[in-house]
Amino acid sequence: YRQSPVWLADLRTGTGERRSLTLEDGTRLTLNTASAVDVRFEPAQRLVLLRAGEIFVETARDARPFRVRSAHGEMQALGTRFGVRQHRGHTELNVLEHAVAVRNAATADALRVEAGMRLDFGDGPLPAPQPADPNQAEWRNGRLVIDGWRLDRALAELQRYRPGFIDCADEVAHLRLSGAFPLDDTDRALAAITTALPVRIDSRTRFWTRVRPRG
């Protein structure tokens, strides 16, 4: 579908903000940081258009099908709890309960994604679902929970919740990081990383941070 400007969306969040609300049918919708959706409830369907960012959906019982549409395809809830994140070039679906049926322009038949599985798909044929990260939806509780992530990947995820720029020096990008880090206080998260790994934080301003080797 054609993307409209994010600032025109029905519901949106800023950087570092999360928002939960109950839709008119009783469905619980949570928006993650820097996210935007349009909600279109009609006699024949319930439709959420994901314009940017990430959402988590807990669907309510209703005779109308519940669908989420991203830039890359459409996902129909089959009585379920699931998360959808729109990346640049692909959409990520994580199913926590029951199942979700996925369609896109390149696939004639819907692909059923079961609980505990994830699907990364773009505009091409739908790939096989893969096991989901059980901690993926912890952002709803204000935590980034990771196990053995590269440091550069972890910092890129924290970047979503923090204004400005986090730079990771090449010398430490490969270091592996595990733990639970607060998303509502990224300064504290960065401080915890310096305790866990041999790195230090250089901050010229609140909006420019570099993670580099210690010493």
Side-chain angles (χ1 to χ4, degrees), residues 27-87:
T27 290
R28 190 74 174 165
L29 176 66
T30 305
L31 281 71
N32 200 358
T33 178
S35 300
V37 300
D38 289 327
V39 179
R40 301 286 183 265
F41 278 22
E42 303 163 349
Q45 70 171 345
R46 298 168 291 165
L47 178 64
V48 173
L49 302 169
L50 178 58
R51 302 297 188 187
E54 183 172 21
I55 59 174
F56 189 85
V57 182
E58 300 173 79
T59 55
R61 289 185 177 273
D62 192 296
R64 297 167 295 174
F66 188 100
R67 299 184 175 101
V68 173
R69 187 178 298 161
S70 75
H72 308 102
E74 191 168 273
M75 294 143 276
Q76 180 172 335
L78 304 176
T80 188
R81 298 167 63 232
F82 63 102
V84 182
R85 178 174 171 182
Q86 186 162 286
H87 298 262

Side-chain angles (χ1 to χ4, degrees), residues 57-215:
V57 182
E58 300 173 79
T59 55
R61 289 185 177 273
D62 192 296
R64 297 167 295 174
F66 188 100
R67 299 184 175 101
V68 173
R69 187 178 298 161
S70 75
H72 308 102
E74 191 168 273
M75 294 143 276
Q76 180 172 335
L78 304 176
T80 188
R81 298 167 63 232
F82 63 102
V84 182
R85 178 174 171 182
Q86 186 162 286
H87 298 262
R88 184 177 301 175
H90 67 102
T91 293
E92 175 187 350
L93 165 71
N94 286 272
V95 183
L96 272 69
E97 286 185 2
H98 304 294
V100 174
V102 182
R103 289 182 174 86
N104 71 358
T107 306
D109 298 322
L111 175 66
R112 184 182 173 102
V113 182
E114 303 287 348
M117 304 298 285
R118 67 191 288 270
L119 184 72
D120 273 307
F121 65 97
D123 298 325
L126 297 176
Q130 301 294 323
D133 178 352
N135 296 313
Q136 191 280 334
E138 277 294 313
W139 61 264
R140 293 177 301 138
N141 301 315
R143 302 195 307 164
L144 173 63
V145 181
I146 59 177
D147 183 12
W149 284 25
R150 281 176 56 104
L151 177 59
D152 53 0
R153 178 187 175 192
L155 292 174
E157 193 67 14
L158 285 176
Q159 174 76 79
R160 299 173 64 204
Y161 301 86
R162 181 184 179 92
F165 177 65
I166 303 176
D167 180 56
C168 183
D170 292 342
E171 299 94 320
V172 295
H174 67 283
L175 297 177
R176 297 287 174 172
L177 183 67
S178 299
F181 302 91
L183 296 175
D184 295 328
D185 188 346
T186 53
D187 284 337
R188 189 155 62 92
L190 290 170
I193 290 173
T194 66
T195 301
L197 296 175
V199 298
R200 73 180 195 187
I201 306 296
D202 289 343
S203 296
R204 294 182 181 175
T205 72
R206 165 73 177 161
F207 303 101
W208 191 93
T209 300
R210 180 170 174 81
V211 182
R212 55 186 295 182
R214 185 185 302 157

